[in-house]
Amino acid sequence: MTYLNFLLNIRFIKPILATILLLMMAISSLNIYIDSKLPDEEKIRDIELQVPLKIYTSDLKLIGEFGEKRRTALKFENIPQHYINAVLAAEDDSFFEHSGVSYSGLVRSFYRLLISGRIQGGGSTITMQVAGNYLTSRDVSLFRKIKDIFLAYRLERAYSKKEIFEFYVNRIFFGNRAYGIAAASEVYYGKSLNELNLAQWAMIAALPKAPSSINPIVNPNRAKLRRDWILQRMLDLKFIHIEQFNLAIEAPITATYHGLVSEVEAPYVSEAIRRLMIQEYGLGAYREGYEVYTSIDSSMQKAANFSISDGLEEYDRRHGFRKPKNLNNLFPSEFTELTLEGQLNYITQELKRDNDENFESTLDKVSEFLQKFTETRNRFPGVVLNTDSTLQVLVKNGGVVSVPWSERMDWARPFINENRRGAKPKGYKDLLLFGDLVWIQKEKVTGELFLTQIPDVQGSLVSIDPNNGSIKALVGGYDFFLSKFNRAEQSSPLLGSNFKPFLYASAFSEGYKASTLINDAPIIFEDEALEEKWRPRNASGKFYGPTRLREGLLQSRNLVSVRLLRDLGIEKAISYAQRFGFDKSRLPADLSLSLGTASLSPLKNAAAYSVFANGGKAIDPYFIEKIIDRNGNIVFQKNHMDLQQVIDPRVAFLITDILKEAAIRGTARRVSEIQRRDFAGKTGTTNDAESTWFTGYNNSLVTSVWVGFDQPRSLGNREFGSSVALPIWLSFIKEIIDKIPISNTVPPEGLSIIKIDKSTGKRPGIETKNQIFEYYLEEHPPD
């Protein structure tokens, strides 16, 4: 029996030994494979602190900052013990005992995998987080988790516990672009870490779990819950006494943003420069401490921001309140069935729900949707809960605000189309439903809340020094944070009548005179380049008979322009327009060109008008004056070269003189409100008012304004360049008028001023009663 048992044991032991051997080989192979995929743990010392890219105005005010904020790394001995304990309580209370991996944490992660069917966060020690954040990757996957485990063991062999803790707290992300505890302390409290109190240390320790949603600035209610949970953990772990706990748990949330705040809002400018810097210097531009000094004038930029937003909002109010997007499908079904009181109680209970493993609320879908929107200009988004007596709105931090009805809502007649509005509303019930996404504005002075809306219409403004091309102000849309598309540079709307000065300049260069008569009368064209018979008409619907070219341009007569182009020749006009920077491919070779079917970006349009403003010279618009590296060395300096003469200075003067008169009694006559006679200006409106313009200038500043929709459609039958774009230009210029030198332009040589008959455009006879003076190129005197 003994021998038989021995044989039986041998028979069972061999498979067991074989299985153990195979398992050991598999683990060894897996270890070798994973080890080959792991980075060198010593590289963690090479992660440098970074200095962000900074962009300034010409008067040294901060426009923007790009890159992560990383402050001086703190040594373990200089980190307050209460903060160390708060981190341990929040993330890994056995950090100083384990070998890099928490097996109980891994078991919890595996359990959540079985329950949910997907890999989730959690279960990672501080050592594993250091490995994952800085040496592997930040994706959530099973293989990443395994790599973190293997690398954690290697980190524990290579570094002391204190060093690993330093790596963690000095480089972890705390939200608001702050990396490391030194940066976080400055950003949230404006103090160094050792100046904070227990409640504040616990608050900072709470941030790495969810820097966006558990953030005391964005969501103070949720941040406090997380902070208080950490304080409770510290008490349970005997890191603090009950007296300390009681004092800290009662402390209010005191965090506010103390980071570098832009002194001047110019996000479209800073984004354009950011792209240029990345193209030139690569991603190192974010961390190498470059400082970019621009041509932007801070006061002009501020005026441009206000003028665009105010002008677009004014247009938007004229056309009524649009039906909002509805989000009721994001709410739990049980929530929608509750009364308002029940909904408010539900929200309160949801905000109290918090535990370390699952920090999700059933209302998080709504909150996450609202987080997509940036609160700007004292406006914030919310979702309608109730419209009975007052408007009850759920906002992104989980709170509910009440907005009473007021007479200021008279503008909110329901939008029907661009030409019609509905009846004046009597209350919010006439406008809103449960679940509607709305915008609430807070009055700066009184703090009063009222319903508003984000304009659907868009616009841009560009202001340039025509003598060197330096851009003084640029706005690329209503709100950069709602739409980053830069309409000042990246769009090319049709110019409408804003193109006419280029056509008239072409004619004057070919011997036409400001006194040349063109018949303003009905005409029908059967142009082969056009799809059907074309019957151009004036905006007024009237016809004025024989018209001098000066009068045709300053009154923007369409029929005069069409006939002028036909007489001049399309090819000559196209060739001449290219001198101003027009792309030939964007100049249609048919008579519609006379009415502005050419397209140009607002920035290039301002540059084109600069040729008139500076006496006929082409400019190349630019933002950047100089770039300095982190050591103070100038790595780029704008080289101001002599400008190239592209048109006859006499023609430039003549066009400007006509447009100055247009600013007094023509389509741009509202310019006279600034009580300066040195400004010239031209409106522009395309067919159906899909695109509206105003460009105004003197010899010191050229400013072009465009207003329209991103997907072209009519602004309305009663909207023109003079009613939409010109008021924005006026608002801008009035704000900065004292900064703009008065032009004293002298007519260039070769230009004569001669008295003519106003009716015929010819030299006056003895019987002529209505005589005026007109400018002429000396080689082309009047008849």
Side-chain angles (χ1 to χ4, degrees), residues 117-176:
R118 60 186 178 90
I119 299 293
Q120 301 181 53
S124 294
T125 63
I126 287 175
T127 311
M128 290 173 64
Q129 290 185 59
V130 170
N133 286 329
Y134 306 110
L135 295 176
T136 55
S137 65
R138 298 187 183 186
D139 64 303
V140 178
S141 68
L142 181 61
F143 186 65
R144 176 258 168 104
K145 201 78 163 180
I146 294 173
K147 287 167 67 177
D148 288 351
I149 292 171
F150 277 81
L151 190 53
Y153 284 125
R154 284 171 44 170
L155 286 172
E156 293 275 349
R157 291 196 301 268
Y159 300 105
S160 70
K161 285 286 187 179
K162 290 182 178 180
E163 287 178 310
I164 293 172
F165 192 87
E166 288 173 10
F167 294 148
Y168 176 76
V169 297
N170 283 317
R171 293 178 174 86
I172 196 72
F173 181 53
F174 288 87
N176 283 299

Side-chain angles (χ1 to χ4, degrees), residues 549-612:
L549 289 186
R550 172 179 286 270
E551 197 71 16
L553 179 55
L554 72 88
Q555 298 293 355
S556 200
R557 301 275 170 75
N558 288 341
L559 274 300
V560 174
S561 298
V562 173
R563 282 192 164 92
L564 176 61
L565 178 58
R566 184 181 63 173
D567 293 346
L568 173 66
I570 294 172
E571 285 304 317
K572 285 183 180 179
I574 288 176
S575 177
Y576 193 81
Q578 291 175 74
R579 301 186 186 191
F580 296 88
F582 282 88
D583 183 342
K584 186 177 181 179
S585 66
R586 293 184 177 273
L587 295 168
D590 59 60
L591 292 176
S592 70
L593 177 64
S594 61
L595 303 186
T597 51
S599 59
L600 207 61
S601 73
L603 177 60
K604 289 185 177 180
N605 192 44
Y609 270 83
S610 293
V611 177
F612 297 134

Side-chain angles (χ1 to χ4, degrees), residues 288-302:
E288 295 301 325
Y290 289 108
E291 295 181 350
V292 181
Y293 295 86
T294 72
S295 57
I296 296 296
D297 180 287
S298 64
S299 59
M300 291 187 180
Q301 183 64 40
K302 289 178 181 178

Side-chain angles (χ1 to χ4, degrees), residues 224-518:
K224 185 177 185 300
L225 288 172
R226 174 68 176 167
R227 182 204 70 177
D228 293 351
W229 180 86
I230 291 173
L231 290 170
Q232 183 65 55
R233 286 270 297 152
M234 293 178 75
L235 180 65
D236 295 342
L237 293 167
K238 301 187 184 324
F239 287 154
I240 55 176
H241 301 297
I242 186 63
E243 293 80 10
Q244 294 171 305
F245 171 80
N246 289 335
L247 186 63
I249 207 78
E250 293 299 324
I253 297 296
T254 58
T256 56
Y257 185 68
H258 290 82
L260 278 175
V261 179
S262 297
E263 297 173 89
V264 180
E265 285 187 35
Y268 290 99
V269 174
S270 57
E271 172 59 17
I273 292 173
R274 181 197 69 80
R275 286 188 276 106
L276 288 172
M277 290 296 290
I278 296 302
Q279 290 173 11
E280 185 67 25
Y281 300 101
L283 293 177
Y286 287 144
R287 57 180 181 266
E288 295 301 325
Y290 289 108
E291 295 181 350
V292 181
Y293 295 86
T294 72
S295 57
I296 296 296
D297 180 287
S298 64
S299 59
M300 291 187 180
Q301 183 64 40
K302 289 178 181 178
N305 293 339
F306 171 79
S307 300
I308 282 289
S309 62
D310 190 59
L312 297 182
E313 288 166 11
E314 175 59 31
Y315 167 87
D316 198 54
R317 285 190 292 269
R318 284 203 300 272
H319 292 267
F321 186 79
R322 301 183 306 279
K323 186 174 179 59
K325 179 182 179 69
N326 192 274
L327 307 178
N328 62 13
N329 62 312
L330 297 183
F331 288 88
S333 58
E334 65 270 22
F335 182 87
T336 61
E337 297 169 359
L338 297 174
T339 63
L340 175 62
E341 182 180 0
Q343 290 175 347
L344 297 179
N345 289 334
Y346 186 101
I347 292 169
T348 301
Q349 293 303 314
E350 286 299 304
L351 288 174
K352 291 181 179 179
R353 292 178 68 247
D354 175 34
N355 60 67
D356 189 43
E357 300 299 338
N358 183 8
F359 201 84
E360 289 189 338
S361 159
T362 54
L363 291 178
D364 270 355
K365 287 183 179 180
V366 179
S367 179
E368 288 173 9
F369 187 91
L370 293 176
Q371 293 294 342
K372 298 176 183 178
F373 299 98
T374 303
E375 298 175 11
T376 56
R377 300 191 185 97
N378 298 318
R379 296 181 177 205
F380 55 90
V383 180
V384 173
L385 297 180
N386 190 272
T387 60
D388 286 341
S389 55
T390 62
L391 179 63
Q392 301 285 336
V393 178
L394 174 67
V395 296
K396 64 170 67 175
N397 67 2
V400 177
V401 299
S402 297
V403 184
W405 180 260
S406 71
E407 292 182 357
R408 72 187 308 160
M409 292 306 300
D410 286 353
W411 68 270
R413 294 166 58 183
F415 172 86
I416 297 175
N417 58 43
E418 65 272 13
N419 299 311
R420 292 181 59 208
R421 294 182 296 166
K424 187 182 296 185
K426 297 179 180 179
Y428 290 116
K429 280 186 175 294
D430 295 337
L431 299 171
L432 300 169
L433 299 171
F434 170 82
D436 278 349
L437 172 66
V438 294
W439 286 83
I440 306 299
Q441 186 160 341
K442 185 176 183 179
E443 188 70 54
K444 289 183 179 180
V445 178
T446 64
E448 177 187 0
L449 299 178
F450 57 92
L451 178 68
T452 185
Q453 68 182 3
I454 300 298
D456 195 21
V457 69
Q458 282 290 351
S460 64
L461 182 152
V462 181
S463 201
I464 294 180
D465 183 338
N467 300 297
N468 56 25
S470 60
I471 300 172
K472 297 301 181 183
L474 184 145
V475 181
Y478 175 73
D479 189 328
F480 175 82
F481 299 101
L482 294 175
S483 171
K484 293 178 173 56
F485 180 60
N486 186 347
R487 294 151 191 86
E489 290 189 83
Q490 297 171 317
S491 68
S492 293
L494 300 184
L495 286 175
S497 296
N498 228 225
F499 178 78
K500 288 177 182 176
F502 307 109
L503 167 61
Y504 279 69
S506 175
F508 294 152
S509 71
E510 290 292 326
Y512 288 78
K513 307 154 192 173
S515 60
T516 298
L517 292 179
I518 298 285

